[in-house]
Amino acid sequence: MFDKHKKRLNNYNKILLIYVGLLIANIILYVSLIIAFHQDIINGLTNFGLINNIFLIVSAIIILGFISTRLPQFRKKEKGSIYEIGYLILFGIVSIVISYFNKSTEFDFIVMPLLDMFKVLSVMLIMTLIATKTKAFKGVISGHVTRKTIIYCFIIFSILGILSSVYYVNVDGTPSDVRNLIILISGLFAGPYVGIPSGIIAGLFKYSQGGATALPCAVATIICGIIGSLIYVWNNKKFPKTTHSAILMFLFIGFDMLLIVVMTPSYISITYIRNIYILTVFGSVIGMVIFSMILNETKRNKFSGISYEELKIKEMENTLDEFNDRIENLEEEIEELKNQKPK
């Protein structure tokens, strides 16, 4: 019975199982948070000042979106003056909205941690971008993986994984970092020989820093490297699409938070998640999207310099790999049908 189910699991279904598992973990986390913060949620719903601010934010976004989508039409009609005046009005509205919320809400408390996280993220991504310009990284991008490139990538991502635990945003004594972002990228980009050992090193370093959440954070980091590596193998050694990788990053942060809930006392975990969950999601998901865009741009530049014949050969090789996977899945299904006993 188990053999039959095992044969049915092709690579796509295996990846899907990871996403579903992480989604279930996120649902459990959200249920736990709703139970823990139910009184705060009720107070928020009855706080008309908060509702008013949310309504104004949504209204401002709708107005700005409507204006920004209509302005290019004036430019196409060569009504340059209306186009320029429109954007002046647009910037004026943005300034008024920012000024209003700066006075009416705790603007610094909300925005400053996000800006600090963006600074941390920028440092990590700049280092990663520099690394992608090296010969070893270009070799991985083009599919020419050697022992030397694996060792080089392992060293780079291990260093970045350690640095991501050193550089963080402090929110009321709670550190928020992009450690899981770096480790997940290492697995998705370079595979198990880089993602798993880098995750172990970054996890052990995180554990060595101590703290109430050191153990769950270390465990999550190691699991992160394993998940990224598995998806790399099952996805034909290709980095996932931008949307897929961003969703994966979002779901894994929720899984990380759930581990903290399970492995630490509630009075610690709830405060921890309240302080850093949104901030960590922001930094990690934005970072994954930016890295994916950088990687795609690097691939385009890589293939822009080759001849048409070489590009066609590369496309045919990719197509052949896809057909080989399909043939393998069909062979497994045929074998399963042969092994079934006739009624």
Side-chain angles (χ1 to χ4, degrees):
M1 178 179 178
F2 291 105
D3 292 336
K4 291 181 180 180
H5 290 293
K6 186 177 180 181
K7 290 178 180 178
R8 291 177 184 174
L9 287 177
N10 56 31
N11 290 341
Y12 173 79
N13 290 334
K14 291 175 183 177
I15 295 174
L16 186 61
L17 278 177
I18 290 179
Y19 278 83
V20 171
L22 293 176
L23 177 61
I24 293 173
N26 277 259
I27 293 173
I28 296 173
L29 172 69
Y30 296 145
V31 171
S32 303
L33 294 180
I34 290 173
I35 294 173
F37 297 134
H38 68 278
Q39 191 60 47
D40 292 341
I41 295 172
I42 294 173
N43 293 336
L45 293 175
T46 56
N47 186 346
F48 292 102
L50 177 62
I51 295 174
N52 180 58
N53 287 334
I54 294 174
F55 176 77
L56 289 174
I57 291 173
V58 173
S59 301
I61 292 173
I62 293 173
I63 293 172
L64 294 175
F66 178 80
I67 295 175
S68 61
T69 54
R70 292 295 183 273
L71 285 177
Q73 297 179 6
F74 291 108
R75 192 170 195 176
K76 292 178 181 178
K77 295 178 181 179
E78 297 182 354
K79 296 182 179 180
S81 58
I82 298 178
Y83 177 82
E84 294 170 358
I85 293 172
Y87 266 106
L88 288 175
I89 295 173
L90 184 66
F91 292 139
I93 294 174
V94 172
S95 300
I96 293 171
V97 170
I98 293 175
S99 177
Y100 172 79
F101 286 107
N102 190 22
K103 295 178 181 178
S104 62
T105 63
E106 297 179 357
F107 187 80
D108 289 342
F109 178 77
I110 297 172
V111 175
M112 290 309 296
L114 296 177
L115 295 178
D116 291 337
M117 173 57 76
F118 199 79
K119 293 176 185 177
V120 172
L121 181 62
S122 299
V123 173
M124 294 295 107
L125 288 176
I126 288 172
M127 292 181 179
T128 306
L129 177 60
I130 294 173
T132 58
K133 301 300 180 182
T134 60
K135 186 177 180 180
F137 268 70
K138 290 180 179 179
V140 175
I141 292 173
S142 60
H144 301 295
V145 181
T146 63
R147 182 179 298 178
K148 185 181 293 186
T149 58
I150 289 175
I151 294 174
Y152 180 84
C153 291
F154 161 67
I155 294 172
I156 292 298
F157 279 112
S158 296
I159 293 173
L160 290 175
I162 292 173
L163 290 177
S164 61
S165 294
V166 176
Y167 294 100
Y168 57 84
V169 179
N170 193 318
V171 183
D172 292 336
T174 306
S176 175
D177 55 48
V178 291
R179 180 185 64 263
N180 288 324
L181 166 67
I182 299 298
I183 300 305
L184 187 60
I185 287 175
S186 70
L188 295 175
F189 176 74
Y193 294 111
V194 175
I196 294 176
S198 297
I200 292 173
I201 289 177
L204 291 176
F205 180 81
K206 179 63 179 178
Y207 182 75
S208 68
Q209 289 182 305
T213 60
L215 180 59
C217 288
V219 172
T221 304
I222 296 172
I223 295 175
C224 187
I226 295 173
I227 288 178
S229 300
L230 288 175
I231 292 178
Y232 170 87
V233 173
W234 294 335
N235 199 39
N236 297 322
K237 300 181 179 180
K238 298 176 183 176
F239 198 89
K241 295 180 180 179
T242 303
T243 52
H244 296 172
S245 57
I247 292 172
L248 178 65
M249 188 75 260
F250 172 80
L251 293 176
F252 188 84
I253 296 300
F255 173 75
D256 184 11
M257 297 296 118
L258 181 62
L259 283 181
I260 294 173
V261 171
V262 173
M263 300 177 69
T264 58
S266 59
Y267 69 90
I268 294 176
S269 60
I270 297 302
T271 303
Y272 188 95
I273 294 172
R274 182 202 293 266
N275 289 341
I276 72 160
Y277 175 60
I278 295 177
L279 188 60
T280 306
V281 167
F282 168 79
S284 300
V285 173
I286 294 296
M288 182 62 76
V289 171
I290 294 175
F291 177 82
S292 181
M293 293 170 62
I294 293 172
L295 186 61
N296 291 334
E297 185 64 25
T298 305
K299 288 180 179 179
R300 291 192 196 99
N301 295 336
K302 180 72 177 177
F303 292 121
S304 62
I306 65 177
S307 64
Y308 175 77
E309 290 77 11
E310 291 174 328
L311 183 59
K312 291 297 293 182
I313 291 173
K314 189 69 178 178
E315 291 178 353
M316 292 173 68
E317 288 176 349
N318 293 334
T319 304
L320 182 61
D321 290 338
E322 294 177 1
F323 278 113
N324 286 335
D325 289 337
R326 293 181 184 178
I327 292 171
E328 184 180 345
N329 294 333
L330 288 173
E331 289 177 347
E332 291 178 355
E333 293 179 3
I334 292 171
E335 188 67 25
E336 180 185 348
L337 291 173
K338 289 181 179 179
N339 293 332
Q340 288 180 352
K341 295 180 180 180
K343 295 182 180 180

